[in-house]
């Protein structure tokens, strides 16, 4: 098996890269590639991070996972790409600096397209060829947030693929979990969601999820640990390492999200606690002016789970001030 520039050798951990494009100074855009190939046969589990440049905790989850993986007792191969968009990571911003494109809206990419589309194409070609399951690690840039998983159900995909995506999400063990039925969902984030890595993976028969690891722009070590536990649990579930699959208690599944916006401009004051329930009519965020005078209360339209609130309080009209989960119930 050859992935990127690596000829995979059974029983070894190898480092290499996937060449995905060139910058103006003819420098190669290289996606760092880590491969741990077990001594025994098994599936290929792909773990990605850094498709958005300010979402850094996932990078460290991959590094730490590779410190503890024992290839002697691994069945199959773990492939990890901790910095999927190196141009966005080095610019410390969500999108590619050179063309201002969000890579996670442009899979499966285009070999004749813009820089980000070409990068997405060369990256996804490897995913499509090799991955059997995929977990894409994200974080919420600019939002103080609780960790949560997102799995999506797609039309025209065999049911077992959607079911395995669901298992990937459940096995992560996060308390908060979002299920998006993309045949019916409304009120989701705008943009080309069809170009997301997890969606394109599922459309290609590769069960896949996103795991949002709390806030971006920092390493959240407690969430790194939770994420590693979840990834190990998935390796057990798919028979790649020994041990019993743990069932996390009190996991919540919500089928809808909402993203309340400010009408007024000013300073946003969080009035509810991230990760907890907010009752209908209670204040999520209050907007005050620069004198401290009340301008607006942004209320919960119904009972909801507060996933995150805006970190920097300075807002204009139309700024998303919170990320909420709706209609939560037990995830079983
Ligand atoms: Zn992201």
């Amino acid at each position: 098996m050859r992935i990127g520039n690596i000829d995979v050798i059974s029983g070894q951990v190898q480092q290499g890269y996937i060449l995905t494009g060139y910058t103006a100074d003819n420098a190669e855009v290289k996606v760092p590639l880590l491969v741990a190939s077990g001594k025994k046969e098994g599936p290929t589990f792909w773990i990605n991070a850094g498709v958005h440049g300010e979402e850094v905790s996932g990078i460290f989850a991959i590094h730490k996972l590779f410190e503890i993986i024992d290839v002697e007792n691994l069945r199959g191969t773990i492939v990890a790409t901790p910095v999927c968009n190196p141009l966005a990571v080095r610019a410390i911003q969500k999108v590619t600096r050179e063309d201002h494109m969000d890579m996670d809206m442009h899979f499966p990419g285009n070999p004749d397209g813009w820089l980000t589309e070409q990068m997405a194409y060369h990256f996804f070609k490897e995913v499509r060829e090799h991955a059997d399951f995929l977990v894409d690690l994200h974080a919420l840039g600019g939002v103080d947030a609780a960790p949560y998983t997102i799995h999506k159900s797609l039309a025209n995909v065999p049911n077992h693929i959607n079911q395995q995506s669901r298992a990937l999400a459940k096995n992560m063990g996060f308390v908060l979990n979002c299920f998006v039925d993309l045949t019916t969902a409304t009120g989701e984030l705008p943009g080309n969601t069809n170009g997301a890595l997890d969606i394109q993976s599922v459309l290609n028969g590769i069960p896949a999820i996103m795991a949002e690891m709390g806030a971006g722009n920092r390493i959240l070590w407690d969430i790194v640990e939770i994420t590693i536990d979840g990834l190990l649990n998935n390796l057990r579930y798919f028979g790649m390492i020994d041990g019993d699959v743990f069932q996390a208690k009190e996991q919540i599944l919500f089928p809808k999200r909402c993203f309340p916006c400010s009408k007024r401009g000013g300073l946003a004051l969080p009035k509810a606690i991230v990760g907890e329930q907010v009752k209908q009519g209670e204040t999520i965020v209050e907007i005050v002016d620069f004198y401290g005078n009340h301008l607006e209360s942004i209320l919960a339209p119904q009972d909801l789970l507060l996933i995150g609130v805006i970190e920097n309080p300075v807002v204009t009209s139309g700024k998303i001030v919170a990320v909420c989960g709706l209609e939560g119930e037990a995830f079983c």
Side-chain angles (χ1 to χ4, degrees), residues 51-52 55 94 138-139 212:
V51 68
H52 292 140
E55 302 172 7
K94 182 171 184 172
H138 285 252
E212 297 278 1

Side-chain angles (χ1 to χ4, degrees), residues 45-92:
F45 198 126
W46 194 302
I47 306 163
N48 186 55
V51 68
H52 292 140
E54 81 281 52
E55 302 172 7
V56 291
S57 283
I59 300 171
F60 296 92
I62 288 171
H63 293 173
K64 291 202 78 173
L65 180 71
F66 268 71
E67 287 172 11
I68 58 175
I69 283 297
D70 170 16
V71 287
E72 295 291 321
N73 294 304
L74 176 66
R75 287 177 286 274
T77 304
I78 304 171
V79 177
T81 40
V83 177
C84 179
N85 187 345
L87 301 182
V89 169
R90 78 181 188 196
I92 319 178

Side-chain angles (χ1 to χ4, degrees), residues 130-202:
H130 298 292
D132 292 309
F133 314 99
L134 182 141
V135 173
D136 191 18
L137 303 174
H138 285 252
L140 291 168
V143 179
D144 175 22
Y148 75 111
T149 70
I150 307 161
H151 68 285
K152 295 152 186 168
S153 191
L154 302 177
N156 306 318
V157 169
N159 192 41
H160 73 275
I161 303 289
N162 287 326
Q163 287 302 318
Q164 286 193 325
S165 295
R166 183 182 174 91
L168 278 169
K170 178 116 182 66
N171 292 335
M172 290 303 291
F174 290 12
V175 175
L176 299 180
N177 302 275
C178 179
F179 167 61
V180 182
D181 184 348
L182 277 171
T183 60
T184 61
T186 54
E188 283 293 328
L189 278 171
N192 182 16
T193 53
N194 203 43
L197 178 59
D198 60 338
I199 290 178
Q200 284 300 320
S201 296
V202 170

Side-chain angles (χ1 to χ4, degrees), residues 8 21 85 226 256 269:
V8 176
N85 187 345
I226 291 167
K256 283 185 182 158
L269 287 171

Side-chain angles (χ1 to χ4, degrees), residues 9-328:
I9 301 168
S10 162
Q12 286 199 12
V13 176
Q14 295 165 275
Q15 298 184 1
Y17 60 86
I18 302 168
L19 176 62
T20 59
Y22 295 86
T23 53
D25 54 350
N26 198 32
E28 294 173 329
V29 180
K30 293 175 174 174
V31 174
L33 179 66
L34 291 160
V35 177
S37 179
K39 282 249 168 115
K40 301 163 195 165
E41 291 290 304
T44 297
F45 198 126
W46 194 302
I47 306 163
N48 186 55
V51 68
H52 292 140
E54 81 281 52
E55 302 172 7
V56 291
S57 283
I59 300 171
F60 296 92
I62 288 171
H63 293 173
K64 291 202 78 173
L65 180 71
F66 268 71
E67 287 172 11
I68 58 175
I69 283 297
D70 170 16
V71 287
E72 295 291 321
N73 294 304
L74 176 66
R75 287 177 286 274
T77 304
I78 304 171
V79 177
T81 40
V83 177
C84 179
N85 187 345
L87 301 182
V89 169
R90 78 181 188 196
I92 319 178
Q93 64 184 35
K94 182 171 184 172
V95 300
T96 308
R97 195 181 65 82
E98 284 76 0
D99 59 13
H100 307 287
M101 291 173 84
D102 179 342
M103 194 178 188
D104 209 29
M105 290 185 183
H106 293 285
F107 293 103
N110 177 358
D112 302 311
W114 293 86
L115 172 61
T116 300
E117 294 176 304
Q118 292 196 25
M119 288 159 55
Y121 173 82
H122 294 292
F123 178 83
F124 192 71
K125 198 156 62 76
E126 301 283 354
V127 170
R128 184 161 38 201
E129 189 174 336
H130 298 292
D132 292 309
F133 314 99
L134 182 141
V135 173
D136 191 18
L137 303 174
H138 285 252
L140 291 168
V143 179
D144 175 22
Y148 75 111
T149 70
I150 307 161
H151 68 285
K152 295 152 186 168
S153 191
L154 302 177
N156 306 318
V157 169
N159 192 41
H160 73 275
I161 303 289
N162 287 326
Q163 287 302 318
Q164 286 193 325
S165 295
R166 183 182 174 91
L168 278 169
K170 178 116 182 66
N171 292 335
M172 290 303 291
F174 290 12
V175 175
L176 299 180
N177 302 275
C178 179
F179 167 61
V180 182
D181 184 348
L182 277 171
T183 60
T184 61
T186 54
E188 283 293 328
L189 278 171
N192 182 16
T193 53
N194 203 43
L197 178 59
D198 60 338
I199 290 178
Q200 284 300 320
S201 296
V202 170
L203 288 173
N204 281 275
I206 304 162
I209 62 165
M210 282 185 190
E212 297 278 1
M213 297 176 62
N217 289 307
R218 76 210 63 186
I219 314 168
L220 294 167
W221 288 114
D222 54 338
I223 299 176
V224 167
E225 293 300 331
I226 291 167
T227 302
I228 291 169
D229 287 347
L231 293 170
L232 290 170
N233 208 35
N234 268 312
L235 291 171
R236 285 183 216 108
Y237 181 86
F238 290 109
M240 295 177 70
I241 59 174
D242 290 331
D244 295 329
V245 177
F246 73 78
Q247 296 288 329
K249 294 192 180 86
E250 295 173 12
Q251 285 178 290
I252 297 169
L253 186 68
F254 48 89
K256 283 185 182 158
R257 286 173 290 181
C258 71
F259 306 90
C261 292
S262 50
K263 297 281 191 297
R264 302 295 299 266
L267 303 168
L269 287 171
K271 292 289 178 182
I273 297 167
V274 167
E276 299 204 350
Q277 300 214 12
V278 185
K279 292 280 179 206
Q280 180 177 14
E282 289 180 355
T283 303
I284 306 170
V285 170
E286 181 187 6
I287 310 288
V288 299
D289 68 14
F290 289 174
Y291 298 95
N293 300 312
H294 172 87
L295 292 175
E296 181 186 4
S297 291
I298 296 171
L299 308 178
Q302 61 191 86
D303 292 358
L304 54 79
L305 294 154
L306 185 59
I307 300 168
V309 291
I310 187 171
E311 236 169 21
N312 189 312
V314 181
V315 299
T316 60
S317 302
K319 182 79 181 175
I320 291 175
V321 295
V323 180
C324 309
L326 304 178
E327 300 172 18

